[in-house]
Amino acid sequence: MMSQRARAARAVVIALAAGSLALTACSKNEGGKSGTDSEKDQKEAAVQSKPVAYADAAGSAGPAKDVPGARPGGTITVYQEAGLSHLDPGQIYVSDSGQVANLLFRRLTQFQEDDKGDVTVVGDLATDSGKSSDGGRTWTYTLKDGVKDENGDVLTSADIRHTVERQYARFIFDGPTYLQTWLSGTDYRKALPGGGFDGKHLPASVLDTPDDKTVVFHFDQPRPDLPQTLAMPGYAVVPAKGDTKERYEKKPVATGPYKIAENKAGKILKLVRNTGWDPKTDAVRHQYADGFTFQFGVTESTQTKRLIADEGDNRNAIQLTGGVDATQIQDVIKNPDVNKRTVKGYQPYVMTLTFNLDRVKNKKVREAATYAVNSKSLIAGEGGAYGGDVAPNLFAPTLPGYEPAYDPYGRLKTPQGNVAKAKEILKDVPAAEKKLVFAYANSEPGQRRKVAVEDALSKAGFDVVAKEIDAASYYEQIAKLDNPYDMYITGWGQDWPSPGTVVTPIYDGSQVVDGSSNYSHVKDPKVDALIKKALTQQPAEAAKTWREAHHYLLENVLPAAPLWYTKQFQLSGSNVGGARYGTVSSLIDINRLYLKS
């Protein structure tokens, strides 16, 4: 999934998925279902563990079903504290950019969710969700007729090939790697080091484009999850004609209902209608608003104050991935007129204190920090029960195979941390190993997390040195193999309902490379063997293998201390219509918004 970036974590969630940075699925919510009853919330969150359906051509035809009461016109204002991590689709693997990608870019397939929160993969650029053959090793896609980009150029199979092959280029380092590794192995860059820009291409035995409208993927083993994979923002189409490589971040070519009119990184992003987008070809998106104006640098506390006041242009505003400021939650829930403008849901993200195993090599140090850290204070900073629940392990309630009672470090019994146990473990550890460099994002949530981590670990006898990182590039910085940090808080959520989309991206030893989401640098032969085994098994047997990998990781490797499961609690202005919690994005469903007047 994506890295979670709602409140700063990284994860892509994809559907039923978050996602995050779904993009992830969460419980269905129209006005808000997630609240203060953790057991009830977690049961509702389990809806996200349901398999997604795959649609045929009839189910993939546009236009999208109208949102009741929707009308055209007006500009929606979007508040966000940190700037976007990326605008190049190939680099998108966090939820902030993923939300924007829903407005700008189309892919071969897309997630469609109904009013009950059920999710279906439909054909987006393709006529359907895909046709498999050869036991699931071959997948064929046919492109819809006449779909154009913002420049009026018709998208062809050559653009799909280009989109896939550019993922092999070195300048693409921050996006998903499922498709590339499935096609060419873990060392996929060697298969096409030029990324297709030098005129060399993947062979037809791997990726075939026999005509302008047909794309055929050939894998060495069945890939039943391909339709969900292709629906990720990271695989949105990049037209070959407009690709400027590293400079594509500045002005990507739109294929969705909106295009970029102005982009000042970290300050403002203005989207306007893309007149080249044809709603008759799109089964998911709408184009109700004239445009969206994203304002960056607006803190969560300021966002919340503005939206509670609900005056002037704030009536037309939403939060992107941020949520209601923790200190103002009571102001929101106690005011019926404000509370009815909230969107709540259980996200798929597990927030962890992630250890850099290249630097924190002593397992006793990791164990002591795991016992010492205070989940209760961290969750208080997120809004208490409205912001999250204590996480006893590395699997979220939204994931198939979740074990609510699996709690090897007693997190549920001592959510405030077990300082005495931590001190006992540390008693024979050299002083030099008790000094830990903690990286945190320079945002309001990041500051609160820093205080909570420093306080808890200091009480246990650690010397915590906090280092600030720019929030917009937080995940990019900690994803560097040679980063100067011992630990950092990260969040990950399923890309689709499978433990494989959690264990593989963040704990596979082949992913210990720059830009990877294996932030702890786990490279364990047993973990790698279990991943390989699970990926070749049928779901029932695979579930047992993923469970074994999960337990082994948490008990024997300990790459990260589980902290909390995230919930989203967002607010929008009174003139914004169509707001609901998105099971796919784990955020407000940005695809269906409109202004009431």
Side-chain angles (χ1 to χ4, degrees), residues 94-173:
V94 293
S95 49
D96 57 356
S97 296
Q99 280 283 74
V100 179
N102 284 325
L103 302 174
L104 289 173
F105 310 124
R106 298 180 68 174
R107 34 270 208 193
L108 275 176
T109 60
Q110 178 59 293
F111 295 106
Q112 179 191 75
E113 60 184 280
D114 63 19
D115 292 338
K116 297 179 181 178
D118 292 326
V119 176
T120 301
V121 177
V122 301
D124 189 4
L125 294 176
T127 55
D128 56 29
S129 56
K131 291 182 172 64
S132 65
S133 56
D134 189 25
R137 293 176 177 83
T138 299
W139 284 85
T140 302
Y141 289 89
T142 302
L143 299 185
K144 292 176 179 176
D145 292 328
V147 180
K148 300 178 181 179
D149 64 22
E150 68 173 276
N151 298 316
D153 295 318
V154 175
L155 298 173
T156 71
S157 61
D159 295 304
I160 306 302
R161 173 180 286 278
H162 175 74
T163 298
V164 175
E165 293 182 340
R166 74 190 299 271
Q167 299 271 2
Y168 289 63
R170 289 286 174 187
F171 72 88
I172 299 294
F173 59 86

Side-chain angles (χ1 to χ4, degrees), residues 30-352:
E30 201 86 57
K33 279 217 177 168
S34 181
T36 57
D37 186 337
S38 297
E39 185 175 347
K40 180 183 177 183
D41 288 348
Q42 291 191 11
K43 286 181 179 179
E44 289 180 352
V47 69
Q48 298 174 56
S49 66
K50 295 194 310 182
V52 293
Y54 290 172
D56 58 13
S60 302
K65 182 180 178 182
D66 277 334
V67 176
R71 58 177 294 280
T75 298
I76 295 174
T77 299
V78 185
Y79 294 132
Q80 180 78 343
E81 183 166 359
L84 297 177
S85 48
H86 293 289
L87 278 174
D88 183 326
Q91 302 276 48
I92 294 177
Y93 211 174
V94 293
S95 49
D96 57 356
S97 296
Q99 280 283 74
V100 179
N102 284 325
L103 302 174
L104 289 173
F105 310 124
R106 298 180 68 174
R107 34 270 208 193
L108 275 176
T109 60
Q110 178 59 293
F111 295 106
Q112 179 191 75
E113 60 184 280
D114 63 19
D115 292 338
K116 297 179 181 178
D118 292 326
V119 176
T120 301
V121 177
V122 301
D124 189 4
L125 294 176
T127 55
D128 56 29
S129 56
K131 291 182 172 64
S132 65
S133 56
D134 189 25
R137 293 176 177 83
T138 299
W139 284 85
T140 302
Y141 289 89
T142 302
L143 299 185
K144 292 176 179 176
D145 292 328
V147 180
K148 300 178 181 179
D149 64 22
E150 68 173 276
N151 298 316
D153 295 318
V154 175
L155 298 173
T156 71
S157 61
D159 295 304
I160 306 302
R161 173 180 286 278
H162 175 74
T163 298
V164 175
E165 293 182 340
R166 74 190 299 271
Q167 299 271 2
Y168 289 63
R170 289 286 174 187
F171 72 88
I172 299 294
F173 59 86
D174 221 12
T177 60
Y178 292 109
L179 184 58
Q180 306 92 294
T181 55
W182 291 353
L183 290 171
S184 304
T186 54
D187 205 6
Y188 64 88
R189 293 192 194 274
K190 289 184 178 179
L192 197 69
F197 291 97
D198 55 2
K200 297 179 181 178
H201 301 286
L202 293 172
S205 58
V206 173
L207 175 61
D208 193 13
T209 50
D211 56 53
D212 283 351
K213 293 189 63 177
T214 307
V215 181
V216 186
F217 297 96
H218 297 282
F219 304 104
D220 61 357
Q221 67 183 70
R223 296 296 180 184
D225 292 338
L226 182 67
Q228 298 180 78
T229 308
L230 294 174
M232 298 174 74
Y235 294 119
V237 68
V238 174
K241 187 176 179 180
D243 194 347
T244 53
K245 300 174 75 171
E246 291 90 342
R247 293 182 290 113
Y248 198 70
E249 294 271 18
K250 304 284 187 183
K251 187 65 169 67
V253 177
T255 51
Y258 296 91
K259 63 182 180 180
I260 296 174
E262 182 181 354
N263 178 22
K264 294 181 180 177
K267 295 181 179 179
I268 194 167
L269 174 68
K270 291 185 178 181
L271 307 185
V272 296
R273 292 179 187 270
N274 173 14
T275 56
W277 174 78
D278 183 355
K280 292 193 297 293
T281 69
D282 198 322
V284 177
R285 302 169 189 82
H286 301 281
Q287 198 184 52
Y288 294 129
D290 292 331
F292 290 77
T293 297
F294 295 78
Q295 296 182 12
F296 302 104
V298 184
T299 64
E300 283 191 346
S301 57
T302 300
Q303 295 174 28
T304 307
K305 288 176 183 175
R306 291 180 181 178
L307 291 167
I308 289 176
D310 196 42
E311 296 172 345
D313 196 48
N314 294 311
R315 297 178 63 250
N316 303 329
I318 65 168
Q319 296 180 293
L320 183 61
T321 62
V324 173
D325 175 56
T327 65
Q328 300 176 68
I329 284 180
Q330 292 302 315
D331 296 331
V332 172
I333 62 176
K334 289 181 178 179
N335 186 328
D337 289 335
V338 177
N339 192 34
K340 69 182 181 182
R341 295 190 274 114
T342 60
V343 166
K344 312 181 189 80
Y346 213 112
Q347 296 186 304
Y349 302 111
V350 182
M351 303 304 294
T352 64

Side-chain angles (χ1 to χ4, degrees), residues 40 84 92 229 326 369 389 466 473 501 570 587:
K40 180 183 177 183
L84 297 177
I92 294 177
T229 308
D389 291 333
S473 62
T501 67
Q570 294 182 294
L587 299 161

